[in-house]
Amino acid sequence: MNEQISIVVITKPVNSDIKVVKEVIEKAVNSAFNEAGTLMYEWSINSDELHVIERYKDKEAVLAHIKNLASLADELPKLGVTSKFYIYGEVGDEVKKLLEPRGAVFMSKIGVFIK
């Protein structure tokens, strides 16, 4: 079975200053870009929601990303309040322990292919 992990986080924006939002996202994207196991990290926005779609090589890469994002702990809340948070794939107990308090819903893969 494929070990890649996908994550989708949907946030209700709290900051109407798009300049601040873009600055925080740029910091997050630049930080994630340097993570060896991060395969995709994409942010999108409309007037009602802010989405981030993430893909990681494996559960160790997810854990590395979480630890790396700790450096932005003061910045990320400027973006909004998480309304939905889905994780697709088996991330292991350590990641679950860190993300369950944040409202993450864990989904097990039952069929997959990646081209």
Side-chain angles (χ1 to χ4, degrees):
M1 181 68 91
N2 185 288
E3 292 185 26
Q4 289 187 1
I5 309 294
S6 296
I7 299 176
V8 175
V9 181
I10 301 171
T11 301
K12 297 292 182 189
V14 294
N15 196 327
S16 60
D17 186 345
I18 193 67
K19 182 180 177 197
V20 171
V21 170
K22 285 182 176 181
E23 287 173 359
V24 173
I25 290 172
E26 184 177 350
K27 288 178 186 177
V29 169
N30 288 339
S31 180
F33 182 80
N34 293 316
E35 299 166 353
T38 300
L39 305 175
M40 181 183 132
Y41 194 66
E42 179 178 323
W43 290 79
S44 300
I45 191 169
N46 69 18
S47 60
D48 298 321
E49 293 181 330
L50 178 62
H51 292 204
V52 60
I53 302 170
E54 310 169 32
R55 180 163 293 242
Y56 299 93
K57 178 182 170 188
D58 52 27
K59 64 185 177 184
E60 289 80 16
V62 174
L63 188 57
H65 175 71
I66 293 167
K67 290 177 179 178
N68 187 38
L69 269 191
S71 66
L72 294 173
D74 293 336
E75 300 284 327
L76 293 173
K78 295 177 184 176
L79 298 177
V81 177
T82 299
S83 62
K84 294 182 182 175
F85 187 169
Y86 296 100
I87 299 177
Y88 306 91
E90 303 305 320
V91 293
D93 292 337
E94 189 173 0
V95 171
K96 283 184 179 180
K97 186 177 178 180
L98 291 169
L99 298 182
E100 279 177 333
R102 299 185 178 279
V105 175
F106 299 91
M107 307 290 291
S108 295
K109 294 179 185 179
I110 58 172
V112 64
F113 77 86
I114 298 174
K115 290 187 175 186

